[in-house]
Amino acid sequence: MRITQSMLASNSLRNLSSSYLKMGKYQEQLSTGKKITKPSDDPVVAMKGMHYRSDLTEVDQYKRNLSELHLWMDNSEAGMEQANSALQRIRELVVQGQNGSLTPEDRNAIAAEVGQMKQDLVKTANTQIAGRYIFHGNDVMNPPVAQEEPPVVAANLTNPAINNYNVEVSKGVSLKANVNPANVFSQELFDVVGGIQNAMENNNSGELNGYLSRLDKVMETSSSERSELGARSNRLDMIENRLGQQSVMANQVLSDNEDADIEKVIMDLTTQESVHRAALSVGSRIIQPTLMDFLR
């Protein structure tokens, strides 16, 4: 086959164009740090990237859910701690009020303090976080104590159906955020505290022994619920650690799939530049620009 000058020029231009494309690809990888910039560059990498990115987004959402759970549980724990302190103080006052040497004025003073403790319990029971009541199960838009004086709890407080304010922490796994409203700020609690206050005001120390027994039962139920909350909080910490590890692994897989190997890209670009310069040099020799070049 006869090789003409035109064929040499066409082949040289095609090869130079291909060389430019390769250098352009390496330059793009260096400037973006990514193997590909559009799905057509490598459909397999693009498809895997979508899958890995979806997994990472899912993990990030579960981590945000954990923050919601921490907020709910930590505030519940703080509220129950405050309520427990108030109940402990009321118990001390009841024991003090049973002392036969106290005068009616002394018991009135104790009744006033019990009244303050009762108001504090009501306010704690109606604690809100971001406009939602944390001690009313999943009925978060209504207060658990519907009437403050005398305290009357909501009618659905003992309904098991509201005891399930759950938050999803991983695929198919949910964790309860709330404490059982019936075990913490029950009507029995406020009836006992109100009864103690009335007994003190009426200087009726004989009723205090019965109220003390009922108060102990209320405190025992509240302590059990608090222990259960602590166990769930420990489980939440374990889930948070696992999600943190999953997030690191998901980022690593995504990086391995999409991120360019910068050292390799620089080497490839350097090699391609050498090839390109050689091609230009050869091309300048075989493509004679003028008739005089043939005659020389």
Side-chain angles (χ1 to χ4, degrees):
M1 183 178 68
R2 178 173 176 268
I3 305 300
T4 65
Q5 184 70 26
S6 175
M7 292 171 64
L8 289 174
S10 296
N11 285 335
S12 181
L13 287 173
R14 187 179 68 253
N15 291 331
L16 286 173
S17 178
S18 175
S19 179
Y20 273 124
L21 285 175
K22 289 180 180 177
M23 286 195 297
K25 173 187 172 185
Y26 296 140
Q27 188 274 334
E28 198 170 61
Q29 288 181 347
L30 285 176
S31 61
T32 63
K34 299 293 182 183
K35 293 178 183 175
I36 63 173
T37 55
K38 53 184 181 297
S40 59
D41 290 341
D42 191 329
V44 175
V45 170
M47 186 182 66
K48 286 184 177 179
M50 291 173 61
H51 177 69
Y52 296 148
R53 193 168 284 101
S54 175
D55 288 345
L56 183 60
T57 302
E58 195 175 61
V59 171
D60 288 341
Q61 180 58 54
Y62 289 140
K63 289 173 73 175
R64 285 191 288 273
N65 290 353
L66 288 183
S67 299
E68 171 79 7
L69 274 167
H70 271 301
L71 178 69
W72 211 262
M73 288 186 178
D74 291 349
N75 280 282
S76 296
E77 168 65 22
M80 293 177 75
E81 170 66 24
Q82 185 173 345
N84 183 63
S85 298
L87 292 175
Q88 288 286 357
R89 178 56 183 161
I90 291 172
R91 193 181 191 285
E92 292 173 7
L93 293 173
V94 171
V95 173
Q96 183 181 351
Q98 288 177 315
N99 190 335
S101 63
L102 292 183
T103 65
E105 290 74 18
D106 293 333
R107 289 199 172 90
N108 274 332
I110 292 175
E113 185 171 350
V114 171
Q116 291 297 317
M117 293 294 108
K118 184 178 67 177
Q119 291 180 23
D120 185 69
L121 287 169
V122 170
K123 297 299 182 187
T124 304
N126 285 343
T127 298
Q128 289 179 279
I129 301 297
R132 293 174 293 174
Y133 294 93
I134 64 173
F135 290 113
H136 202 186
N138 59 21
D139 190 6
V140 295
M141 301 311 295
N142 296 302
V145 181
Q147 176 182 306
E148 296 192 1
E149 191 57 40
V152 177
V153 300
N156 63 348
L157 199 74
T158 56
N159 186 350
I162 67 169
N163 184 26
N164 61 353
Y165 187 81
N166 297 325
V167 177
E168 190 174 16
V169 293
S170 61
K171 189 171 291 183
V173 179
S174 296
L175 199 61
K176 191 171 80 170
N178 66 292
V179 295
N180 189 343
N183 292 340
V184 184
F185 295 104
S186 63
Q187 187 61 54
E188 171 68 2
L189 181 149
F190 292 109
D191 288 345
V192 169
V193 175
I196 292 170
Q197 182 183 7
N198 292 334
M200 292 290 186
E201 288 174 345
N202 297 327
N203 196 29
N204 189 356
S205 61
E207 294 182 353
L208 293 179
N209 195 41
Y211 282 125
L212 185 62
S213 176
R214 291 170 62 185
L215 180 63
D216 285 341
K217 289 182 180 177
V218 167
M219 293 175 67
E220 184 178 343
T221 303
S222 178
S223 295
S224 298
E225 190 65 29
R226 192 177 174 188
S227 299
E228 199 272 338
L229 176 64
R232 268 187 287 133
S233 183
N234 290 336
R235 183 186 173 192
L236 180 61
D237 291 338
M238 294 173 62
I239 293 172
E240 188 172 27
N241 289 335
R242 181 168 56 82
L243 283 178
Q245 294 172 354
Q246 286 183 342
S247 178
V248 171
M249 287 188 289
N251 275 300
Q252 180 64 48
V253 170
L254 186 62
S255 175
D256 291 344
N257 182 65
E258 294 185 350
D259 290 350
D261 184 346
I262 300 300
E263 292 83 359
K264 182 177 182 302
V265 174
I266 291 174
M267 291 294 294
D268 290 343
L269 178 60
T270 304
T271 302
Q272 190 60 42
E273 283 176 342
S274 299
V275 172
H276 188 74
R277 281 195 294 271
L280 285 173
S281 176
V282 171
S284 66
R285 291 176 180 275
I286 63 175
I287 302 174
Q288 300 301 326
T290 67
L291 178 59
M292 293 303 296
D293 292 320
F294 286 102
L295 299 177
R296 279 191 301 191

